[in-house]
Amino acid sequence: MLSTAALLDPGLSLGAVDAAVERAAEALAAAQKPDGHWVFELEADATIPAEYVLLRHYLGEPVDAALEAKIGRYLRRIQADHGGWPLFHAGAFDISASVKAYFALKMIGDDPDAPHMVRARAAIHAAGGAAAVNVFTRIQLALFGQASWDAIPTMPVELILLPRWFPIHLSKMSYWARTVIVPLLVIGAKRPHARNPKGVTVEELYTARRAPLKSQAAGAKRGWQLFFNGLDRALKAAEPLWPQASRDKAIRTCVDFTVERLNGEDGLGAIYPAMANSVMMFDCLGYPEDHPHRATARASLEKLLVIGEDEAYCQPCVSPVWDTALAAHAMLEAAGETNETRARAALDWLKPLQVLDVAGDWAAERPGVRPGGWAFQYANPHYPDLDDTAVVVMAMDRAGHGYRQAIARGREWTVGLQSKDGGWGAFDADNNYHYLNNIPFADHGALLDPPTSDVTARCLSMLAQLGDADPTQIEAAIGFLRAEQMPDGSWFGRWGVNYIYGTWSVLCALNAAGLPPDDPMISRAADWLIAIQNTDGGWGEDCDSYRLDYSGYTPAPSIASQTGWALLALMAAGRVDDSAVERGIAWLLANQQSDGLWGQEHYTGGGFPRVFYLRYHGYPKYFPLWAVARYRNLKRSNSAQVGWGM
């Protein structure tokens, strides 16, 4: 591994850069599956593996002692010095994650008097006790008789029967909220009790203090909150009065919704909470274990497990389409016949995964648009997403012939889902019902899927790279991004951490759209990136940048994937010859591991700001390669112009 000082030697040739690209490309190729795709682990926090353990005991399934021992070791390892569990590596204490992790460890068999359990309990008490947890954790506790259902905001199952024009309607919520909530409506109506064969309880986590729900929504409005809190009280009073006929009809409708989207062994919505809720819904309705719907839903959860020699955990979902498309871009940038062949194998794997025959939930808002997108997971046809679609289409366009029809349909679907404000959300168009984030049930503040800078940028990048786009669509997208730029020149990153990710996304798009490097939008953003570069040459940003009282960038350790984003952003802004880029490339080369890749424990993926973060294990494998290869290509071509949308 070369030292940063050596790499900054002005006499250093591009030989070291070539060698780094070659080693990284070979290492990434070694991780490619025989059928051409890539998929890397997708890790969240303690909540998902803890919930998996609790689900098994809720259902009264036979104890898998070996698996639980491995999950226990994982949970103990990620317990932080503060005694509890954070939402991301080296993060602050989180009460909800800590309560679930403690409950799961106790369920596994950890002695409450063991030192790690005593420390966890003390941290939980100091934070207000189990009463201070969020809505979804309260539901988990209520299922085990450890919390009152009265402490949970009411969402009557009859919600599923309301007309679309009604102000509170499932179609006005995001796809992830929809799939999580629908089976949860049935569970809330039935209020089942966990079998819990061991009889494990966590009363010791409660204190005498009461704790109201705290909203994590940005821009929460006091007036709306008061209104919805009053509505919640009215719904609680009316709960015993619902006609049984309408309740039964609502439950049948929820089951029909779930079954239609059950998605085989890839699961409802292909995300853990929805998948687990579907299993519990079928269970509380009396479906036997061998009923096809329940058995399929239960089997889907096993496919999320990552089981190693010593540890195991449960992923929130899997990311094969996203990993494959991004790795293909990195391979195309690495260039050469071998790498391009690897990229084409990946794209050939992606091609049949395009959703062409299912008009998903997005069609409720855009009924005249033909399907044509890609989902994030192996299969999730009701919920393709625009980010994946744009990235896949750009890679196919770059790879050349053979993908013309797939590109055309992907473009058509993307154009059809542009929102009225010029931006794009991840899964739906015009999902802007911000008042809904004030309902008590939505304390996580992520009930919606409005247009965001990063997804808008990706769609703009795609349209601009393909060419011949409707100028009004391009202008609307640029106008959206212009309005979203922060005073310091950066852009918010909804799906990646955070302003570095958003700024990378937008600068790539503005370059592809033909804006010159001296455009104020571009120059201000590039100057911001240079200003926040660490003294070691890399870039880093913490998940705390999502906090509601954010007042500007706070320095954080250099991270491989974020350094890759910053470098790709600066090169898109025409700054390949800036010394900041040279120092960033030097940092990447100095930190390349002996296996040719880069390590990274930090979380740089976004799930729900302030609530849920992701560690994409693939990010430090393909983004640094992509950045180093692009630097080499631009330097060798004596051009400062990036010719692609990403």
Side-chain angles (χ1 to χ4, degrees), residues 14 149 208 219 247 287 314 316 394 419 445 461 508 535 540 617 636:
L14 287 175
W149 285 96
R247 177 134 297 191
Y287 285 59
C314 187
M394 282 188 278
S419 292
S461 286
C508 288
T535 55
H617 286 226
R636 282 245 159 82

Side-chain angles (χ1 to χ4, degrees), residues 107-160:
M107 193 70 78
I108 287 169
D110 285 22
D111 186 342
D113 292 326
H116 68 286
M117 297 291 275
V118 172
R119 288 194 304 117
R121 193 161 59 248
I124 290 168
H125 284 172
V133 298
N134 61 23
V135 166
F136 290 119
T137 308
R138 292 184 184 195
I139 293 172
Q140 191 77 229
L141 292 170
L143 290 169
F144 282 84
Q146 302 303 291
S148 169
W149 285 96
D150 290 338
I152 300 164
T154 299
M155 289 280 276
V157 68
E158 287 79 6
L159 176 67
I160 194 82

